[in-house]
Amino acid sequence: QAHYDILRRKYPFEFRGKMVRPSVWVEGEADISPEASVFGPTVIGEGCRIASYATVSSNCVLGPGCVVEEGAFLEGAVLHAGCRVGADSVLRQCALSSGVEIGERVHVSDHAVIGGAVKVGEDNEFRHGIRVWPGNDIPPSTLRFLTN
């Protein structure tokens, strides 16, 4: 909740870096494809890369060195340093600790938290506030939630 409040300017806070678009701050150099969509409020750390056709929507924080691959969608996501989000993955209202690797077509939402250095194989789904402890490897197509 704290990062949402700061991004929405509920509290006085001076973001480091420069505003490159309305309510989008980049600290240092970042590689943002011209074909990527980035909307504020969002903070992007030094050395991040956002690939073509990726979308970083409102209320996102990308720590230094994060990579968002082609076609990925982020909204309300907090990524600590060195995270990688695979192609066509969706992250909504979630947090990734440092060094997390998310495979292709993974969905992380509903306040899920992924611990540091976790590797998530493709085609997994994390919802309902699920927590994954640091250092785990989740094989491809292991976790899915049934819908009502």
Side-chain angles (χ1 to χ4, degrees):
Q1 182 64 44
H3 86 278
Y4 296 123
D5 290 343
I6 290 170
L7 287 170
R8 287 186 243 151
R9 312 297 270 175
K10 278 185 148 180
Y11 303 104
F13 187 85
E14 290 299 319
F15 293 103
R16 294 188 294 196
K18 64 180 179 178
M19 191 181 317
V20 296
R21 298 179 187 166
S23 296
V24 175
W25 291 270
V26 175
E27 183 179 355
E29 296 296 319
D31 180 12
I32 302 172
S33 169
E35 288 86 25
S37 298
V38 180
F39 304 98
T42 289
V43 176
I44 300 169
E46 171 81 35
C48 286
R49 185 174 65 80
I50 302 173
S52 300
Y53 311 110
T55 300
V56 178
S57 192
S58 61
N59 298 315
C60 287
V61 177
L62 278 63
C66 288
V67 175
V68 180
E69 295 182 356
E70 188 169 305
F73 179 88
L74 281 64
E75 179 179 41
V78 177
L79 282 62
H80 289 250
C83 292
R84 176 177 293 273
V85 178
D88 301 314
S89 289
V90 176
L91 278 65
R92 284 192 166 104
Q93 308 302 323
C94 63
L96 307 183
S97 294
S98 297
V100 171
E101 295 180 22
I102 299 290
E104 295 182 358
R105 299 174 307 281
V106 171
H107 288 249
V108 184
S109 62
D110 302 333
H111 306 286
V113 177
I114 311 295
V118 168
K119 292 182 173 72
V120 177
E122 67 267 5
D123 297 311
N124 277 296
E125 181 178 327
F126 299 84
R127 290 190 190 189
H128 307 298
I130 193 168
R131 305 299 194 249
V132 179
W133 294 109
N136 283 292
D137 290 346
I138 310 298
S141 303
T142 300
L143 189 57
R144 282 268 180 232
F145 287 84
L146 300 176
T147 56
N148 297 346

